[in-house]
Amino acid sequence: MPAQILNGTLVGEALKQDVAARAAKLIAQGLQPGLAVVIVGDNAASKVYVGSKVKACQALGLHSEKHELPASTTTDELLALVQSLNARNEIDGILVQLPLPPQIETRRILEAIDPLKDVDGFHAINVGRLSQGEDALTPCTPTGVIALLDHYQIPIAGQHAVVIGRSDIVGKPQAMLLLHRHATVTICHSRTKDLPAVARTADILVAAIGRTAMVTGDYVKEGAVVIDVGINNLTSPDEARRVFPDAEIPQRLEGIAKRGYTLIGDVEPRSVIEKAGWFTPVPGGVGPLTIAMLMQNTLKAAVMRRGKA
Ligand code: NAD
């Protein structure tokens, strides 16, 4: 039987509705949660991400503002902006969109953000708190994955979770969050030996690699839960015919013809759907959860720092 879909669009909407309802209560008490998003340079993908974050805030009644700086911005100039946002009481969350241009010292910027406003959860204080299992602002994408599993009541405790990817943004915090939910966790990366064999031991397999359709059916145990975090562009019609299930091919080819690409994750849908018990589509899987979690973190930051409730 083909795998069942973990529908991130649906779950993300439900979570955003919940944020909107809780935000409305805070606003009635005179507290409007506010998010400042900072973007440096002209990265097209970053512009799309920032745009959808600001739009989501507006839809939920949160204050949002976008700060756009030129690609030539220096570390000191960006630090000055972060510090001015730290000082403003009505700003609860500060998100500096990554990647930053090469002349900017990214770590210094992330460490300059007030940990209480660090809605991306990348500050060393929040990384440390997450590692200690204490309440913290945690990175949006891996937190969204846990929310998705919880929504579908997929058990985590006692399961073997294999996370492919060890980035600070996804892989490492994902492993930590699964560990705190009592999974047995294996972290894999580019130097892991016989990756397909390790992946096949997973009850829950998370792919956060950034390589188009790398995880094939050969990596998946029968009935496993497969979470595809990757977002990649596929431009070749022949590749699209090879990696997507028959039913999806016409719409994918249309996407390539119109825009020049179709979105695909790190998982090869055609072969994995035949093996997995559950899987996340791309688009419409993990992506919408990331934005929903950002909204939730902004609300959480507002309540932590200046909430009465
Ligand atoms: P990254 O490049 O920082 O990390 C990739 C990780 O994959 C590394 O740890 C590396 O060791 C591992 N890796 C690379 N090649 C490998 C191989 N051949 N075999 C095994 N492991 C390998 O990327 P990231 O920031 O963690 O993002 C991963 C993917 O997730 C990207 O496609 C990115 O676009 C996507 N992403 C999606 C969302 C979302 O909202 N859905 C959010 C963040 C990132």
Side-chain angles (χ1 to χ4, degrees):
M1 199 175 70
Q4 300 186 70
I5 290 177
L6 296 164
N7 188 331
T9 306
L10 215 86
V11 179
E13 275 315 309
L15 290 169
K16 283 197 285 188
Q17 288 318 312
D18 175 60
V19 170
R22 287 190 289 143
K25 281 189 195 150
L26 287 175
I27 292 166
Q29 295 169 29
L31 191 170
Q32 185 187 29
L35 175 69
V37 184
V38 180
I39 177 166
V40 184
D42 297 314
N43 183 314
S46 291
K47 282 190 171 174
V48 173
Y49 295 147
V50 162
S52 47
K53 287 166 185 176
V54 169
K55 236 192 257 163
C57 280
Q58 287 163 350
L60 305 190
L62 311 188
H63 166 77
S64 67
E65 54 187 53
K66 185 163 68 169
H67 297 264
E68 290 178 275
L69 301 182
S72 59
T73 302
T74 64
T75 300
D76 283 344
E77 286 164 345
L78 187 51
L79 279 176
L81 174 61
V82 167
Q83 275 147 11
S84 75
L85 294 169
N86 280 342
R88 285 173 54 198
N89 193 41
E90 76 279 17
I91 296 297
D92 298 293
I94 303 170
L95 184 151
V96 177
Q97 186 66 43
L98 302 181
L100 292 167
Q103 78 278 9
I104 295 184
E105 296 164 73
T106 301
R107 246 302 131 202
R108 268 184 78 198
I109 301 298
L110 297 181
E111 296 306 320
I113 296 172
D114 180 342
L116 291 172
K117 299 188 178 189
D118 171 35
V119 283
D120 255 341
F122 296 160
H123 192 290
I125 297 244
N126 284 317
V127 176
R129 293 182 70 89
L130 167 61
S131 149
Q132 290 171 326
E134 293 190 23
D135 192 30
L137 291 166
T138 56
C140 299
T141 300
T143 306
V145 168
I146 301 287
L148 193 59
L149 294 172
D150 282 347
H151 178 90
Y152 285 92
Q153 298 183 330
I154 290 173
I156 301 175
Q159 302 295 296
H160 184 205
V162 173
V163 179
I164 311 180
R166 55 173 162 183
S167 72
D168 291 337
I169 295 172
V170 189
K172 277 191 235 165
Q174 186 68 79
M176 206 46 84
L177 288 165
L178 287 162
L179 182 65
H180 291 320
R181 293 291 297 272
H182 313 294
T184 302
V185 182
T186 301
I187 306 175
C188 299
H189 46 78
S190 49
R191 301 206 192 172
T192 298
K193 285 186 192 156
D194 200 355
L195 184 58
V198 180
R200 273 196 303 272
T201 64
D203 303 305
I204 300 171
L205 179 64
V206 182
I209 314 162
R211 305 222 180 245
T212 301
M214 191 185 101
V215 174
T216 60
D218 187 41
Y219 286 60
V220 177
K221 177 168 81 180
E222 198 74 43
V225 180
V226 179
I227 306 285
D228 190 358
V229 178
I231 303 179
N232 311 295
N233 292 344
L234 183 69
T235 54
S236 153
D238 283 345
E239 268 295 283
R241 284 187 201 94
R242 195 178 64 77
V243 298
F244 289 111
D246 288 343
E248 262 185 62
I249 292 173
Q251 155 209 348
R252 296 296 190 156
L253 293 178
E254 200 185 313
I256 295 176
K258 266 195 195 149
R259 290 189 306 273
Y261 68 93
T262 184
L263 283 185
I264 184 161
D266 293 338
V267 171
E268 183 188 277
R270 189 181 183 96
S271 55
V272 168
I273 285 170
E274 296 305 320
K275 287 285 250 340
W278 295 89
F279 84 105
T280 56
V282 177
V286 174
L289 268 300
T290 298
I291 298 241
M293 287 301 130
L294 175 64
M295 301 298 108
Q296 211 171 73
N297 272 355
T298 303
L299 197 79
K300 181 174 176 174
V303 172
M304 274 190 328
R305 200 175 52 84
R306 57 187 177 123
K308 300 166 194 104

